[in-house]
Amino acid sequence: MRASHILVPTLRETPADAEITSHIYMLRAGLIRQLAKGLYTWLPLGLAVLRKVENIIREELNNAGAMEVLMPVVQPAELWKESGRWDVMGPEMLRMKDRHDRDYCLSPTHEEVVTDLVRNVVVSYKQLPCNIYQINTKFRDEIRPRFGVMRAREFVMKDGYSFHLEEETFEETYRAMFNAYGSILSRIGLEYRAVEADPGSMGDGESHEFHVLAESGEDALAFSPNSDYAANVESAEAISTIDRPLPTAEIEKISTPGILTIEAVSDFLGIAPSRTVKTLIVEGSKGPVALVVRGDHTLNEAKASRLPLVKSPLTFLKEEALLRDTGVTKGSIGPIQLGIPIFVDHSASNLADFTCGANEAGFHFSNVNWGRDVDLTESVDIRNVQEGDLAADGSGLLEFKRGIEVGHIFKLGTKYSDSMGATIQDRSGKNTPFVMGCYGLGVTRIVAAIVEQHYRDETMHWPIQVAPALVHLVAVNNVKSEQVREAAFSLYSRCLDSGIEIYFDDRDERPGVKFADADLVGLPYRITIGERTLANGVVEFQSAGKEIEFLTADEAIQKLINANEGSS
RNA sequence: CGGGGUAUAGCGCAGUCUGGUAGCGCACCUGCUUUGGGAGCAGGGUGUCGGGAGUUCAAAUCUCUCUACCCCGACCA
């Protein structure tokens, strides 16, 4: 690549509308340009990175037994009506009509199309398992696109789907894909964690998210330093291993005028918030339901809304309804004689001699004990985990980090094969729905994640495998100096001949401008050619972050060849 | 969808309150000089002041309206 021949519109100043590191960098270094909200053009340097990431994904998936296809992005509504998702999908799916007034959509995902393909094409169980993927553009009309290509509306995604006769072979493929994702992210040079995840609307089976660790990540992850255990904080299981101690004191009703919060109660009584419980009233399918968590814990709404009696999505009871239905007011609620179903979080249920509201304005009970003072109906997991909690696998105390979700793999079961009548004859000749898996990997988001993780000390440090090019050749005054020009072009073509990806700054620019751009782009190596060193028969050779070496052109090229080999 | 903000040259911004015919830095174009860390001198404005409507002798500026973009939240995963 020659700078005089490609568009690399670097920016001296930070664009006003960019917030996070990767967005700022990608705009400033000339990798991308925004067309409209959530829509980006990938310019040559950015595209080079994108293609490298794609190719690593291809190699690893092909190795793992998957096959690549390319499916249409514009899809007929019929398929989506068949699966039932035409009505289920909200406005995030962009819909349109063709000239015959037929409905189409711009695909946010490809389950329907791939299921349709396989039901028509796969005719024998002997062709299974069938593992299909594509690297394609997706469109999701996100409510709020942001952070550049990190959360764009149009983006490149690798989506894979596997089809199986039975669970066992599915598990095998799921494991293979899980491992392939690890290989992909490792090869790209990303520090990542695979975490247990909530499959959400995608199914009810096993599900794992792959997160690239970064401060700017949108998700909080909880993990054990002593094992592989890791989970999204939103779905991490909270456990309590302590056995409930025996009561040591008699229940006591205390006047607590004007004291309405856990903080105020613990201050007033001089006890830790973890010695209190808070009682939250939410709407339920058969009237209000009480949820009890320890004073220092927070309710996990997703967990709570999965309780059978609780309405989903979780809705807190309004003040008026609270008074009408339970006769109590906010700030003095407690589980004793509440008269509605109560779910108690494990940690709260293991408390003895705790403090809670007395269901009477201005009063609390202290030294309350389950069983003795109030029935313990049901102990459940309804809170968010906290840093320092025991990990669900018991291996250690949870630590939190932030992550960027770049991949998510799901077990789909027979959700789509059932609704779309995708069946296969088993060995006994019986028609049985395919068992399916689904494997997503955000390719454009990975590029942003690479930047987030490798931008340090005011500059980008591209991992060799995914750098836009291996080496940045800065020719000092190449337009005026014939000697420099000849040496630079010679080195450039020799690199091309040796399969070295080189970005040659042959512009008629002052050296300072070229150096500044080279610093900004941040390629792994830099070679500077100028009259000064050429007089000694050498060029300047620099690995990112290291001292400059003076080498002959031959030596420099040999070093690059070695670096190239080392990276593949 | 709710709240807040912004929209003036390729980029960053001033001018808007108080209406008077478009401005700064960088970039860009021409010439000369310069040339190892974002050059100097001289010349050049490249603009639908986001769009539309209105008030006015006169609108970047005031009014109404639409749109786009950014931030926070809700939503989604």
Side-chain angles (χ1 to χ4, degrees):
Chain A
M1 290 184 287
R2 280 166 63 187
S4 63
H5 286 63
I6 65 170
L7 288 174
V8 185
T10 54
L11 297 171
R12 187 180 290 210
E13 293 182 78
T14 301
D17 55 2
E19 276 277 298
I20 62 167
T21 302
S22 57
H23 191 194
I24 293 171
Y25 168 80
M26 292 176 78
L27 286 171
R28 282 199 63 204
L31 271 58
I32 55 167
R33 273 299 164 99
Q34 186 182 55
L35 171 67
K37 192 183 176 112
L39 303 176
Y40 290 86
T41 295
W42 287 76
L43 296 168
L45 287 191
L47 187 61
V49 179
L50 190 61
R51 292 288 181 245
K52 292 194 174 183
V53 172
E54 288 177 358
N55 284 334
I56 288 173
I57 293 171
R58 281 197 177 92
E59 286 176 22
E60 293 299 326
L61 290 180
N62 293 347
N63 269 342
M67 72 184 106
E68 185 174 9
V69 301
L70 187 60
M71 295 181 268
V73 171
V74 174
Q75 305 179 350
E78 281 66 32
L79 276 181
W80 289 81
K81 286 176 180 163
E82 202 180 342
S83 74
R85 290 210 290 182
W86 184 258
D87 299 318
V88 173
M89 293 295 260
E92 69 269 21
M93 186 161 81
L94 186 63
R95 295 149 213 257
M96 57 199 150
K97 287 180 185 294
D98 69 2
R99 59 165 64 191
H100 304 293
D101 207 36
R102 286 190 285 248
D103 286 316
Y104 287 84
C105 68
L106 214 45
S107 170
T109 174
H110 278 73
E111 281 84 6
E112 279 77 3
V113 170
V114 77
T115 303
D116 176 67
L117 174 77
V118 169
R119 73 179 168 186
N120 288 324
V121 166
V122 175
V123 294
S124 163
Y125 72 86
K126 292 170 192 167
Q127 293 169 280
L128 300 179
C130 178
N131 191 356
I132 296 176
Y133 76 94
Q134 66 171 346
I135 293 175
N136 204 350
T137 296
K138 293 275 183 290
F139 187 90
R140 291 181 190 170
D141 200 353
E142 292 274 345
I143 289 177
R144 194 177 158 210
R146 57 187 133 176
F147 307 141
V149 299
M150 188 79 84
R151 181 176 289 277
R153 291 194 294 173
E154 186 178 300
F155 56 99
V156 176
M157 180 174 173
K158 188 289 295 182
D159 51 324
Y161 310 88
S162 70
F163 295 80
H164 311 266
L165 186 59
E166 68 276 289
E167 297 283 336
E168 299 80 66
T169 47
F170 162 75
E171 295 297 341
E172 211 172 287
T173 299
Y174 187 87
R175 200 37 55 184
M177 290 298 101
F178 184 98
N179 292 335
Y181 273 37
S183 309
I184 289 165
L185 296 174
S186 298
R187 268 187 69 186
I188 290 171
L190 289 167
E191 193 189 345
Y192 73 95
R193 286 303 281 234
V195 310
E196 290 174 9
D198 180 356
S201 62
M202 290 295 284
D204 52 3
E206 206 176 353
S207 165
H208 288 90
E209 290 172 351
F210 287 78
H211 286 263
V212 170
L213 301 180
E215 285 300 315
S216 60
E218 291 189 90
D219 296 277
L221 311 179
F223 66 96
S224 164
N226 305 325
S227 74
D228 281 343
Y229 178 79
N232 198 311
V233 165
E234 292 172 15
S235 61
E237 188 187 349
I239 61 170
S240 178
T241 52
I242 311 149
D243 289 329
R244 187 186 330 141
L246 294 171
T248 63
E250 286 309 306
I251 185 169
E252 198 180 339
K253 189 170 176 180
I254 304 168
S255 171
T256 51
I259 290 181
L260 300 174
T261 63
I262 293 289
E263 199 180 321
V265 169
S266 45
D267 280 354
F268 184 76
L269 298 175
I271 54 169
S274 60
R275 306 286 307 149
T276 70
V277 302
K278 56 185 160 195
T279 306
L280 307 159
I281 315 292
V282 298
E283 290 181 20
S285 44
K286 299 169 190 147
V289 175
L291 305 172
V292 178
V293 296
R294 224 168 67 184
D296 59 327
H297 287 155
T298 56
L299 182 72
N300 181 303
E301 301 195 8
K303 290 178 183 176
S305 67
R306 279 196 290 269
L307 292 171
L309 284 175
V310 172
K311 207 169 123 187
S312 179
L314 197 78
T315 316
F316 288 99
L317 214 60
K318 300 265 187 310
E319 201 96 27
E320 317 85 70
L322 191 65
L323 191 60
R324 184 188 66 228
D325 295 349
T326 65
V328 297
T329 54
K330 241 174 134 175
S332 59
I333 311 172
I336 300 176
Q337 295 184 339
L338 194 52
I340 58 174
I342 299 176
F343 292 96
V344 184
D345 184 73
H346 296 312
S347 297
S349 73
N350 282 339
L351 286 176
D353 304 325
F354 61 87
T355 297
C356 65
N359 294 329
E360 184 180 335
F363 288 95
H364 279 76
F365 286 121
S366 64
N367 301 322
V368 180
N369 282 279
W370 297 109
R372 187 190 70 184
D373 308 315
V374 52
D375 283 343
L376 179 56
T377 45
E378 196 162 358
S379 177
V380 290
D381 172 20
I382 50 171
R383 71 175 175 96
N384 289 312
V385 292
Q386 297 180 331
E387 247 177 313
D389 283 351
L390 189 64
D393 70 347
S395 65
L397 303 183
L398 289 179
E399 292 177 16
F400 282 15
K401 276 196 181 177
R402 299 200 70 80
I404 299 163
E405 183 188 345
V406 295
H408 201 159
I409 61 178
F410 307 85
K411 173 181 179 176
L412 294 177
T414 57
K415 178 173 174 176
Y416 295 93
S417 41
D418 279 336
S419 62
M420 296 181 62
T423 60
I424 188 89
Q425 285 189 353
D426 65 14
R427 290 170 189 81
S428 61
K430 197 176 88 208
N431 276 335
T432 166
F434 290 104
V435 174
M436 292 173 59
C438 161
Y439 317 94
L441 194 57
V443 185
T444 40
R445 182 178 282 185
I446 283 177
V447 176
I450 295 169
V451 178
E452 290 295 329
Q453 211 171 68
H454 292 273
Y455 190 96
R456 297 184 306 275
D457 311 321
E458 303 290 300
T459 185
M460 182 59 194
H461 303 264
W462 282 107
I464 286 182
Q465 323 78 262
V466 291
L470 181 66
V471 58
H472 201 128
L473 174 58
V474 175
V476 176
N477 296 324
N478 55 304
V479 171
K480 284 286 158 62
S481 165
E482 194 181 333
Q483 198 192 356
V484 168
R485 189 163 64 245
E486 277 175 9
F489 272 92
S490 158
L491 186 77
Y492 175 63
S493 49
R494 287 180 64 193
C495 281
L496 293 183
D497 291 344
S498 304
I500 293 164
E501 291 177 340
I502 180 166
Y503 179 53
F504 174 23
D505 195 343
D506 60 337
R507 294 174 300 169
D508 182 13
E509 285 288 354
R510 298 175 62 81
V513 173
K514 296 188 179 187
F515 288 136
D517 272 0
D519 291 342
L520 178 59
V521 174
L523 297 186
Y525 295 92
R526 182 188 307 181
I527 291 176
T528 307
I529 293 183
E531 282 184 326
R532 194 187 282 179
T533 49
L534 223 41
N536 301 322
V538 294
V539 300
E540 286 163 60
F541 183 92
Q542 190 174 22
S543 318
K546 298 222 176 92
E547 292 297 307
I548 294 172
E549 303 171 69
F550 297 95
L551 305 176
T552 64
D554 286 344
E555 290 167 338
I557 290 171
Q558 193 53 50
K559 278 218 170 202
L560 294 173
I561 290 171
N562 295 344
N564 230 4
E565 282 165 1
S567 76
S568 53

